[in-house]
Amino acid sequence: MTSQSSAQVNTLAESLAQSKRVCVLTGAGVSKESGVPTFRDKDGLWNKFRPEELANVEAFIRNPKLVWEWYCWRRELMAGVEPNPGHYALAELETLFDDFALVTQNVDNMHQNAGSKNVIELHGNILRNKCHDCGYIFSEEESKQIVDFAEGELPRCPKCKDGLLRPDIVWFGEMLPEDAIDFAWKKAMEADIFISIGTSAVVYPAAMLPQQAKSAGAFLVEINPKRTELSPLADIVIEEPSGVALPEVTRQFKIILGK
Ligand code: NAD
Ligand code: ZN
């Protein structure tokens, strides 16, 4: 870590010590060090597959097998990876606050795997399925029981018997789950400190959360090895990978707390 980053980590730890309410927003960047590719980096998925062919409802109606194949590949990829030190540091940080919300755009379940409790998923979860017709959402456990796409059959809904199942992911052009975005909004508006981590901050409405938090008075921090559209608005920008910066933030914060 550069000496500038170390100084900023200290500033962040001190700000945390003065904060009661913390809101964190994460994006694909936090999972990159675990081996999950992001969408917009040079080696991201979007360079190999055109998202418009895969991640929208029209594509699913046109060619559900292609879309399922892609998601099966992504599920397999995600099943083989583990949380990294950044995920664990966030889970530990949560235990040091009474009011800590972790809003994520990721669908990979990695924050939960690392032990985070109060996770608000804005874009769904790749481990769950939902029915394209009746809308029923199957839990991770239920989804494991019903999908057997490996045998080439498209999975059908056990509730309404006929609907095609799809991953419980928010696709391009779809609305975010109302409860999740409302709760995230509330947490952003109430936050004393808002930390945006590993997101290119261009996908709305998630990208509005840091802006809203800042205009409601929060101290705004960004952690990302590359500057983003959000960077000019942030009070501090820590230009480091989250797996490097976050463990240091938690360590410094615990020193301040005397833990
Ligand atoms: P994005 O691909 O647009 O941006 C990733 C950001 O992470 C970039 O700004 C990049 O500079 C930064 N980054 C790269 N390496 C990093 C590191 N080691 N530490 C911290 N930051 C790092 O991703 P986004 O902003 O989350 O885009 C949102 C969409 O991508 C969402 O719809 C989300 O559902 C989807 N997505 C999710 C996953 C996942 O669940 N892991 C993976 C790919 C895409
Ligand atoms: Zn159904």
Side-chain angles (χ1 to χ4, degrees):
M1 209 173 344
T2 64
S3 56
Q4 193 197 6
S5 297
S6 296
Q8 284 165 327
V9 163
N10 283 339
T11 310
L12 170 51
E14 279 158 18
S15 308
L16 282 167
Q18 283 158 22
S19 301
K20 282 202 158 47
R21 287 180 278 261
V22 183
C23 188
V24 174
L25 172 69
T26 65
V30 283
S31 292
K32 196 174 173 198
E33 288 154 273
S34 294
V36 182
T38 64
F39 283 170
R40 287 173 195 80
D41 281 329
K42 274 202 275 346
D43 58 347
L45 294 169
W46 281 171
N47 293 332
K48 292 176 201 143
F49 302 92
R50 290 176 51 199
E52 57 272 28
E53 282 170 15
L54 302 167
N56 69 68
V57 79
E58 290 79 21
F60 182 71
I61 292 166
R62 200 165 52 233
N63 194 345
K65 278 203 169 164
L66 175 71
V67 174
W68 262 117
E69 270 161 18
W70 188 54
Y71 278 103
C72 285
W73 173 74
R74 289 193 70 201
R75 275 182 179 173
E76 231 166 79
L77 190 142
M78 288 178 188
V81 300
E82 302 212 328
N84 67 57
H87 295 110
Y88 288 115
L90 284 174
E92 189 178 5
L93 202 55
E94 178 177 12
T95 66
L96 304 169
F97 285 91
D98 291 331
D99 193 337
F100 187 101
L102 175 45
V103 183
T104 190
Q105 300 166 88
N106 294 347
V107 299
D108 59 18
N109 211 53
M110 214 84 86
H111 287 303
Q112 292 92 330
N113 291 348
S116 285
K117 300 278 181 273
N118 196 13
V119 182
I120 305 158
E121 294 177 324
L122 292 183
H123 293 165
N125 188 309
I126 198 165
L127 302 177
R128 290 192 302 262
N129 293 319
K130 99 174 167 193
C131 177
H132 176 63
D133 281 2
C134 74
Y136 187 87
I137 293 174
F138 296 87
S139 69
E140 181 187 339
E141 250 343 278
E142 289 172 315
S143 299
K144 270 191 207 146
Q145 311 295 319
I146 41 185
V147 173
D148 203 0
F149 184 66
E151 297 184 2
E153 285 294 309
L154 286 169
R156 299 265 167 192
C157 174
K159 291 279 172 208
C160 68
K161 304 290 179 210
D162 200 29
L164 274 182
L165 289 181
R166 53 166 279 184
D168 181 23
I169 303 264
V170 178
W171 281 334
F172 287 104
E174 291 186 323
M175 304 284 282
L176 269 60
E178 209 173 312
D179 290 359
I181 190 67
D182 286 354
F183 192 59
W185 193 265
K186 178 173 178 295
K187 288 296 170 189
M189 297 297 276
E190 288 173 357
D192 302 315
I193 183 163
F194 189 102
I195 315 175
S196 176
I197 312 169
T199 172
S200 51
V202 291
V203 178
Y204 283 82
M208 274 172 77
L209 294 170
Q211 298 169 13
Q212 282 303 319
K214 167 92 182 177
S215 52
F219 187 69
L220 180 61
V221 182
E222 179 176 55
I223 302 178
N224 195 315
K226 287 194 201 127
R227 294 182 73 83
T228 69
E229 285 177 29
L230 184 68
S231 307
L233 198 68
D235 294 294
I236 48 177
V237 182
I238 303 176
E239 286 181 53
E240 298 286 345
S242 48
V244 172
L246 286 169
E248 200 46 30
V249 170
T250 301
R251 197 179 73 81
Q252 291 291 345
F253 180 56
K254 281 167 69 184
I255 292 173
I256 296 173
L257 294 184
K259 290 197 172 177

